[in-house]
Amino acid sequence: MSEWFISRNPTFSTAFPSSCITVVKPNFILLSSEFDSYTPQCLFNSLTTTMRLSKRQLSLPLSLCFSTFSPRSRFHHFPGKYPAPRREFLHTTGTSQLCFKSSMEDQKPSALSENVLQFHTVGSRDGCDVPHKWSSPEGGKKIDISNQIFCNRSLNMKNIIAVGFDMDYTLAQYKSETFESLAYDGTVRKLVYDLGYPNELLEWTFDWNYMVRGLVLDKKRGNILKMDRHKYVKVAYHGFRELSKEDKVEIYGSSLVRDSFDEPDYALIDTLFSLAEAYLFAQLVDFKDNNPEKVPKDVDYARMYKDVRAAVDLCHRDGTLKQMVAKEPNRYINEDTTIVPLIKMIRDSGRSTFLVTNSLWDYTNIVMNFLCGGRTVHGPHTCNFDWLQYFDVVITGSAKPGFFHEDSRANLFEVEPQSGMLINTDNGTPMAQVGDPSPKILLKSKDKGCRVFQGGNVGHLHSLLSIESSSQVLYVGDHIYGDILRSKKILGWRTMLVVPELEKEVELLWELRNMRKDLILMRNERDSVEDKIHHLNWSLKFEDINENNKHEMLSALKDLESKRDKVRQSHQQAQRECHQKFHKVWGQLMKTGYQSSRFAHQVERFACLYTSQVSNLRLYSPDKYYRPSEDFMSHEFHLLPL
C-alpha cells in the first residue's frame, strides 16, 4: 500500500470515506492507495470533483498546497453580489509537491464553499510540474542583483487583493533589434509614400541601440536632451551633433523664466515604443540642415516631428506592425516560459489577476497565446482561449491613460472571444437587446471564469473585481506616464515599473564600483585644491603680506592652479569614460552626472517598486513585505562610512 501524510482538515472526513483514512496522529491523516480510485464527494452542493493522486512512492516530508480554487474552478465576480474571496493555502516544509486537477467546468458562484480542499502545483507553461520558484529548494537564496525588485515605498503584499498587468513591453517583451526596426521601416515608408518625403529616406537604416528612455525632444529647435532631476540640461544633441557647454547654457540656461520642458513644445521619450521615432527625428534634423533645398521652407523641425508622429499612427491604424507580429511572434517577442508560473503563483496566493491593455482583442489574443502556450496563428499549435484561465478580467482597447479617470464616459463593451463581437453592457452587466430579452450569447459569456471587455474606465474594473480601496491593487506596467504616473497619482494604486534596461545597468554598476569610488576621490581632491586656491587668493587680496611671503604665496598659487587643471582634466576624462561604459552617447539611464536623471526622478516619485522583468516577481513570496532602503540627504553622507 502506498501512503502519504497530509495535514488534517476539519472538513476532510466529509470528502473522503473512512476506508481511505487512518488517523495516526492528532494532526495527521494517512491516505491509503484506495484513495486513488475513489471519486470523493466534493464540498460543492451538487457537484463532484475527480482528484488524481500519483501512486509513486514519495519521500517525506511533502510540500502540500491547500487551496480553495484552481484555475478551472475560479470564482465568478459579480459586482455587488459576491465579495472577492481570498484564496488561501497552507504549506508544510518539504521538497515535493502533489498535483490534483479539478474537472468542474460548469460550477456556479452560489455553489461555492470556502472549505473546498484542493491540491496543486504551479510552474510550467502548461500545468503543474515545476514548483514556485521562491518556494523551491533553490529558492530563498540570494537573488542576482539584475533580477532583484527595488522598493521606493513600503508595500505589504498581504494588503493586495488584485494584481494587474499591462501587456506590451510588460508581459510581452519585444525584441528591439527586430520589432523597433519594423516600426522604424514602416514609419519611413509612410513618410515617403503618404506624406511626400524624398525617396532617399528609404535608404536610411536604424540603430536600435542609439536612443534611450528618459530623453526629451525639443521640437522647435531639433534638439534631443537628457536632463537631471532638477530639469537642468546636462547632455544635448542637435540631430546627431553634440552641443557644447556654452551652447547648452545659451539655449536653456540664460532665460529669466525656466522652461518646463513639457508639451506642446517638447516630446517626452518615456516608452520603448518611442525610441524609433526619436531616432528618425534626429535623422530628419540632420537631413534638413545638410540638404535645405530638399525640404520645403515651411517645414520646420516641429512640423517634421508632427509628420513622424502621423506616420507612426498610420502604421498602427492600418495594422502594418501587428500583422507582421501575428505572422511570426517568435521573431518579434521574447519567449518567456515564466509568465504562466508567475500568474499562477499570484492566483494561488489568493489574489485576483487582470489584464489592462491598449491593444484590441484580436492582437491581445495572439500575443497572449504565444506567451502562455507558444501558440501562433500559422503554427502547429493554433491559437485558442486557454490563456484566459489565468485572469479574472481582461480589458482591451483601454485607451490608457484616460482609462484611469473614473469620470471618463467611455462605454464598456463585453467581447465575445470567438467572434470578437462587442456586446453592450451596463457597468459590466450584459444588456438585453431590444426585442430579445435573453440572448443566448450573453448567458454563454457569463458562465466563463474570465470575462473580456473593451473600453470602459477604472470604475468599471473596480466594480468587476469588487475592489473597495484603490490601495488594494498592484498594477505592473512599463510606461511611466501611461501606466504608472496616472494610476498612482490619480487613483493611489500601488505600482511596479518594468525597466528592462535596468538589468544591464545594475550589472555595470557592480562591475564599475571601484571606478566610481575613484571618481568620488578625484572629486574630493578637486574640492580640496580649489579651496586652497580660494584661500590664497583671499589672503593676497585682503591681508597685509610682506613681499617675500607674497612671492611665495604667488608661486604656491601658480602650482595649485596647475594642479587644479590637471586634476580637473583627469576627473572629466574619467567621468566621460564611466559615462560611455553605460551608453556611448547618453550614459547611465538613472543618472546624469552626479544627479538622478529626469527618468529616475519619475521612477522614484511614482513607482512603488521597479525591476528589470515582470517575471522577477516569482523570485519573491507573494506575501512579501517590500521595504525601501533608508533615504539620505547630503549632510548625512559625511557622517556615514563608505
Side-chain angles (χ1 to χ4, degrees):
M1 179 181 73
S2 300
E3 299 177 344
W4 304 270
F5 283 106
I6 66 172
S7 298
R8 194 176 198 179
N9 187 290
T11 61
F12 208 74
S13 60
T14 64
F16 306 104
S18 57
S19 60
C20 294
I21 303 174
T22 303
V23 179
V24 294
K25 290 184 181 181
N27 295 321
F28 289 95
I29 295 173
L30 184 64
L31 290 186
S32 75
S33 57
E34 297 174 23
F35 167 77
D36 190 50
S37 61
Y38 174 72
T39 302
Q41 293 298 314
C42 191
L43 297 179
F44 291 88
N45 291 339
S46 59
L47 304 170
T48 61
T49 299
T50 301
M51 307 181 74
R52 297 184 295 275
L53 180 62
S54 171
K55 292 184 179 182
R56 177 174 59 88
Q57 182 69 39
L58 298 178
S59 59
L60 293 177
L62 301 177
S63 177
L64 299 180
C65 182
F66 293 75
S67 179
T68 308
F69 300 92
S70 72
R72 290 190 176 272
S73 59
R74 193 67 56 181
F75 189 85
H76 298 246
H77 299 296
F78 297 98
K81 293 183 179 180
Y82 304 99
R86 187 170 179 85
R87 299 175 286 274
E88 300 187 8
F89 62 103
L90 307 173
H91 287 289
T92 61
T93 304
T95 58
S96 304
Q97 289 191 325
L98 300 180
C99 175
F100 291 75
K101 287 187 178 180
S102 170
S103 61
M104 291 176 294
E105 300 288 347
D106 303 316
Q107 52 183 292
K108 300 177 181 179
S110 60
L112 182 63
S113 166
E114 292 190 355
N115 293 322
V116 175
L117 181 66
Q118 278 202 316
F119 306 76
H120 54 91
T121 62
V122 297
S124 72
R125 167 180 281 173
D126 303 310
C128 50
D129 57 358
V130 180
H132 296 306
K133 176 70 175 177
W134 67 270
S135 63
S136 62
E138 67 272 16
K141 299 179 182 178
K142 186 175 181 181
I143 299 172
D144 188 86
I145 189 171
S146 62
N147 301 124
Q148 288 181 15
I149 295 176
F150 303 98
C151 180
N152 290 321
R153 275 172 295 284
S154 296
L155 172 57
N156 188 349
M157 286 296 294
K158 288 186 177 180
N159 297 329
I160 300 298
I161 67 171
V163 180
F165 301 92
D166 180 33
M167 184 180 74
D168 298 309
Y169 276 111
T170 300
L171 292 177
Q173 284 296 326
Y174 291 90
K175 299 176 181 179
S176 298
E177 62 272 25
T178 55
F179 181 78
E180 289 168 26
S181 296
L182 179 68
Y184 172 87
D185 292 340
T187 303
V188 169
R189 285 195 295 271
K190 297 296 183 186
L191 284 173
V192 174
Y193 297 128
D194 295 301
L195 300 177
Y197 276 72
N199 286 338
E200 60 191 276
L201 270 65
L202 297 172
E203 301 174 5
W204 289 359
T205 57
F206 173 53
D207 181 0
W208 55 272
N209 282 313
Y210 187 87
M211 293 295 177
V212 298
R213 279 202 287 182
L215 301 178
V216 177
L217 304 187
D218 184 340
K219 301 178 189 177
K220 293 192 302 182
R221 301 182 180 93
N223 296 339
I224 302 141
L225 317 173
K226 185 181 180 186
M227 296 181 291
D228 66 14
R229 66 194 299 266
H230 305 293
K231 294 187 177 181
Y232 286 104
V233 176
K234 294 300 183 73
V235 183
Y237 280 75
H238 178 76
F240 293 103
R241 176 177 61 83
E242 186 175 9
L243 298 181
S244 66
K245 182 178 180 180
E246 293 72 25
D247 289 337
K248 288 184 291 185
V249 172
E250 181 182 354
I251 298 171
Y252 300 108
S254 59
S255 61
L256 293 175
V257 179
R258 289 200 60 206
D259 206 322
S260 64
F261 297 101
D262 290 325
E263 294 282 1
D265 295 331
Y266 297 87
L268 310 180
I269 307 302
D270 285 333
T271 173
L272 294 170
F273 275 122
S274 303
L275 301 186
E277 66 188 61
Y279 188 83
L280 183 53
F281 176 67
Q283 286 180 304
L284 287 171
V285 169
D286 275 7
F287 182 76
K288 176 179 172 61
D289 292 346
N290 298 327
N291 306 278
E293 74 282 357
K294 296 182 179 181
V295 180
K297 292 184 178 180
D298 62 333
V299 177
D300 56 10
Y301 300 129
R303 169 64 184 276
M304 290 193 300
Y305 177 78
K306 184 178 180 180
D307 288 344
V308 171
R309 281 298 317 154
V312 171
D313 290 341
L314 283 173
C315 287
H316 287 288
R317 197 177 307 150
D318 66 10
T320 302
L321 299 179
K322 293 179 179 178
Q323 289 291 350
M324 296 297 291
V325 175
K327 283 183 180 180
E328 297 180 276
N330 59 322
R331 183 180 178 187
Y332 301 104
I333 303 174
N334 288 316
E335 188 173 3
D336 189 351
T337 58
T338 65
I339 294 296
V340 169
L342 164 64
I343 300 174
K344 279 187 173 184
M345 182 186 78
I346 294 171
R347 292 174 70 78
D348 293 333
S349 70
R351 295 167 176 85
S352 300
T353 53
F354 64 91
L355 181 70
V356 177
T357 174
N358 286 352
S359 295
L360 296 178
W361 165 246
D362 54 351
Y363 184 71
T364 300
N365 188 43
I366 289 171
V367 173
M368 293 305 297
N369 261 280
F370 174 73
L371 289 176
C372 296
R375 298 177 179 274
T376 59
V377 175
H378 304 293
H381 305 289
T382 57
C383 293
N384 56 34
F385 309 117
D386 288 351
W387 65 271
L388 290 174
Q389 67 183 296
Y390 305 123
F391 297 94
D392 293 282
V393 172
V394 171
I395 296 183
T396 63
S398 61
K400 294 177 295 181
F403 176 85
F404 296 119
H405 289 275
E406 198 161 356
D407 56 355
S408 169
R409 299 181 63 84
N411 291 324
L412 181 70
F413 299 96
E414 185 158 7
V415 178
E416 204 290 311
Q418 195 71 42
S419 64
M421 186 174 68
L422 300 182
I423 303 166
N424 290 319
T425 73
D426 180 11
N427 293 324
T429 302
M431 296 172 59
Q433 299 179 32
V434 176
D436 189 1
S438 58
K440 296 179 180 179
I441 191 170
L442 301 187
L443 296 176
K444 181 179 178 182
S445 66
K446 277 186 70 174
D447 285 340
K448 293 189 176 180
C450 175
R451 300 177 67 188
V452 182
F453 297 91
Q454 178 175 310
N457 60 43
V458 71
H460 296 131
L461 179 64
H462 285 170
S463 179
L464 289 165
L465 294 175
S466 301
I467 302 296
E468 297 179 354
S469 171
S470 58
S471 62
Q472 296 174 321
V473 178
L474 172 65
Y475 187 65
V476 186
D478 72 289
H479 196 319
I480 193 70
Y481 181 73
D483 292 324
I484 303 302
L485 188 151
R486 289 295 182 92
S487 61
K488 180 66 179 177
K489 194 172 183 179
I490 295 174
L491 297 175
W493 277 7
R494 309 313 302 269
T495 54
M496 186 171 96
L497 182 70
V498 175
V499 188
E501 309 96 313
L502 195 64
E503 189 168 335
K504 178 183 175 183
E505 179 133 325
V506 294
E507 288 177 350
L508 276 173
L509 282 171
W510 177 251
E511 291 176 11
L512 301 176
R513 61 192 183 281
N514 291 328
M515 178 184 282
R516 294 171 64 83
K517 288 179 182 178
D518 291 340
L519 283 171
I520 294 174
L521 295 176
M522 294 171 75
R523 195 184 194 202
N524 292 340
E525 186 179 9
R526 282 184 68 179
D527 286 342
S528 176
V529 172
E530 288 171 356
D531 286 343
K532 291 176 182 178
I533 291 173
H534 296 155
H535 177 73
L536 285 175
N537 279 327
W538 186 271
S539 298
L540 288 168
K541 186 175 182 179
F542 295 105
E543 294 181 9
D544 186 14
I545 304 171
N546 60 47
E547 287 298 320
N548 289 335
N549 289 340
K550 187 174 183 180
H551 180 74
E552 291 178 0
M553 292 174 67
L554 287 171
S555 177
L557 181 61
K558 185 177 180 180
D559 292 340
L560 284 171
E561 287 175 341
S562 176
K563 183 178 181 180
R564 176 197 59 191
D565 293 341
K566 290 179 180 178
V567 172
R568 180 178 59 196
Q569 187 176 4
S570 299
H571 183 221
Q572 290 175 344
Q573 179 63 28
Q575 270 188 309
R576 181 171 289 274
E577 289 176 5
C578 185
H579 174 92
Q580 293 177 340
K581 292 282 187 181
F582 290 92
H583 190 280
K584 62 181 180 180
V585 177
W586 307 109
Q588 192 176 340
L589 178 69
M590 297 292 188
K591 277 281 193 294
T592 304
Y594 287 96
Q595 296 285 319
S596 293
S597 65
R598 170 188 163 275
F599 181 74
H601 182 53
Q602 289 183 317
V603 172
E604 192 173 28
R605 286 183 65 193
F606 301 112
C608 301
L609 308 174
Y610 63 101
T611 189
S612 61
Q613 302 290 337
V614 66
S615 55
N616 293 339
L617 272 170
R618 68 187 283 266
L619 305 178
Y620 295 82
S621 165
D623 290 326
K624 181 175 175 59
Y625 197 136
Y626 293 94
R627 295 178 175 88
S629 57
E630 183 180 354
D631 289 339
F632 291 107
M633 293 187 68
S634 294
H635 69 277
E636 296 176 284
F637 279 106
H638 299 289
L639 306 177
L640 298 171
L642 289 176

